[in-house]
Amino acid sequence: RADGRMITAGGEQGFVYVFDTAGRAMLRRFKGHKAPVHVTRFAQDGYHVISASDDKTLRFWNIPSDRCVSTWNHVHSDFIRCGRVKPDDLNVFLTGSYDKTVKLWDTRAPPSAGSASTFTHETQIDDLVMPPSGTLLFTASGNSVCSWDLLMPGRPKLHEQIR
């Protein structure tokens, strides 16, 4: 979390954990994923956690109420390996997968609506980074890095590819 008071982590058993950094105590253990969780991120408000798993689902957890408030099923066709909350909008997050796609999600839309935007990389997505402005996205895949302009209408535009 931005204030450094809590950290979140995923586990091989499908759990999502929230820990208090000062007391080193586990505050929450969320159960819902059916496979290892490789992505956990705090939403900007600090009271929600977004998680993504090898079960190809995304979950949005409410820390104070100790429950899952939204679930998106089968969002990628392969393992989800990275994700980020959009720095300028706590309701928007991105996921990257071994299926070679990056998807943009909005927690205000019902899970049945699907992703707000999808774009494709040449190979599996290993990581993604978004600067504080929230208008650019950098994706890493094997030995290449791509930058994407998220302000382009309709779809993000591949800005540059570095190999």
Side-chain angles (χ1 to χ4, degrees), residues 65-105:
S65 72
D66 197 21
R67 67 184 189 91
C68 179
V69 293
S70 292
T71 301
W72 291 260
N73 292 303
H74 309 291
V75 297
H76 284 277
S77 61
D78 206 337
F79 298 144
I80 304 167
R81 283 295 189 247
C82 53
R84 292 279 183 265
V85 176
K86 198 165 184 287
D88 61 338
D89 189 342
L90 70 93
N91 295 298
V92 177
F93 58 101
L94 295 108
T95 55
S97 170
Y98 281 2
D99 67 4
K100 306 177 188 176
T101 65
V102 173
K103 296 186 178 189
L104 186 138
W105 306 90

Side-chain angles (χ1 to χ4, degrees), residues 2-4 15 35 52 96 99 113 129 153 155:
D3 63 9
F15 293 108
D99 67 4
V129 176
R155 282 187 61 154

Side-chain angles (χ1 to χ4, degrees), residues 10-78:
E12 290 296 312
Q13 310 304 311
F15 293 108
V16 174
Y17 303 94
V18 177
F19 297 96
D20 169 37
T21 56
R24 298 183 180 185
M26 183 174 57
L27 300 175
R28 296 285 188 267
R29 184 179 82 165
F30 297 118
K31 181 175 173 43
H33 289 291
K34 295 174 177 43
V37 175
H38 294 283
V39 178
T40 60
R41 297 281 185 262
F42 281 102
Q44 301 304 88
D45 67 357
Y47 296 104
H48 292 88
V49 171
I50 295 164
S51 63
S53 167
D54 283 355
D55 64 7
K56 304 173 189 122
T57 65
L58 305 175
R59 292 184 180 268
F60 193 56
W61 307 92
N62 181 292
I63 297 169
S65 72
D66 197 21
R67 67 184 189 91
C68 179
V69 293
S70 292
T71 301
W72 291 260
N73 292 303
H74 309 291
V75 297
H76 284 277
S77 61
D78 206 337

Side-chain angles (χ1 to χ4, degrees), residues 107-122:
T107 61
R108 295 166 293 199
S112 60
S115 66
S117 184
T118 300
F119 48 106
T120 305
H121 214 287
E122 289 181 2

Side-chain angles (χ1 to χ4, degrees), residues 141-163:
S141 176
N143 62 354
S144 70
V145 175
C146 293
S147 63
W148 303 84
D149 184 346
L150 299 178
L151 292 180
M152 295 299 294
R155 282 187 61 154
K157 178 185 176 202
L158 176 61
H159 211 40
E160 183 178 353
Q161 187 166 359
I162 304 166
R163 291 184 189 259

